[in-house]
Amino acid sequence: WRKPYCLRKQELFPFLTEDQAANIIQGLYRSWIAREITRPLLIKYYRKIFDRTNGIFYYAFHGKSRLISRSNWKKPMYCNRRAFPKDIPLIYTEDVAAIIIQRKWRAILIRDLWRALARSSFEQLWDPLKGKWNYYDKDKSILLDKELKIMRG
């Protein structure tokens, strides 16, 4: 990077004075303190609840403020920001437990499907010189010396 010639002896950005640097550091510290105060309040006053009719979650506010709506389909504004939780913890009901179990079961079925697809396109060959198994890809005609992670299990 080169400084533009038109500036000659002038600086592109003036150097900070001690007061300006102190103001910036104070602002950073105050914003950190505000985050530390806000994080537990966010978890304390918001609840994530499953709506059986629509099949999605909504967020309910249980605080004292009358300016914030009591329920909303969107996450609270601070969720997923730096130093804040990604989401509000769930209130576990029978519906939520059923959804969690269904998701786990579907993940197992998908993993089994991918494993079967990988095993059908790869052939396991023994290499007596190296004393290890090699894996031959039938579709691409490539020989791999390491087993794919999806084929394990």
Side-chain angles (χ1 to χ4, degrees):
W1 181 83
R2 290 184 183 164
K3 185 167 76 169
Y5 292 112
C6 60
L7 289 178
R8 299 192 186 190
K9 293 185 179 182
Q10 294 177 342
E11 291 295 327
L12 190 59
F13 298 106
F15 291 111
L16 294 176
T17 63
E18 287 184 11
D19 291 336
Q20 290 173 332
N23 284 339
I24 290 172
I25 291 171
Q26 284 176 353
L28 290 172
Y29 177 73
R30 288 179 181 151
S31 64
W32 178 74
I33 290 293
R35 263 189 256 125
E36 290 295 317
I37 292 170
T38 308
R39 188 181 309 125
L41 293 176
L42 184 71
I43 294 172
K44 178 181 176 184
Y45 290 129
Y46 276 96
R47 302 284 181 264
K48 184 176 179 181
I49 303 169
F50 181 72
D51 182 22
R52 183 183 284 192
T53 56
N54 293 329
I56 55 176
F57 293 96
Y58 69 93
Y59 298 88
F61 177 73
H62 294 289
K64 298 175 185 174
S65 176
R66 294 173 193 241
L67 298 175
I68 300 174
S69 61
R70 292 290 171 198
S71 62
N72 198 348
W73 293 108
K74 296 180 182 177
K75 286 183 189 179
M77 185 176 74
Y78 288 111
C79 282
N80 242 359
R81 288 193 177 180
R82 184 180 2 161
F84 283 101
K86 290 187 177 182
D87 207 355
I88 306 295
L90 287 170
I91 295 177
Y92 285 98
T93 60
E94 290 181 11
D95 295 334
V96 173
I99 288 173
I100 291 172
I101 292 170
Q102 288 171 358
R103 285 181 182 169
K104 296 279 186 189
W105 178 245
R106 287 179 186 149
I108 290 169
L109 292 178
I110 290 294
R111 201 174 303 119
D112 288 345
L113 172 70
W114 280 104
R115 188 173 290 131
L117 288 172
R119 286 182 177 166
S120 67
S121 64
F122 282 91
E123 185 178 344
Q124 191 176 22
L125 303 172
W126 177 253
D127 185 7
L129 297 175
K130 294 181 182 177
K132 292 195 291 186
W133 290 102
N134 287 332
Y135 299 90
Y136 179 71
D137 187 354
K138 298 173 190 174
D139 301 330
K140 297 180 183 176
S141 300
I142 299 173
L143 189 66
L144 301 174
D145 60 345
K146 291 184 180 179
E147 181 182 20
L148 297 175
K149 287 184 181 179
I150 193 70
M151 292 175 65
R152 297 178 189 156

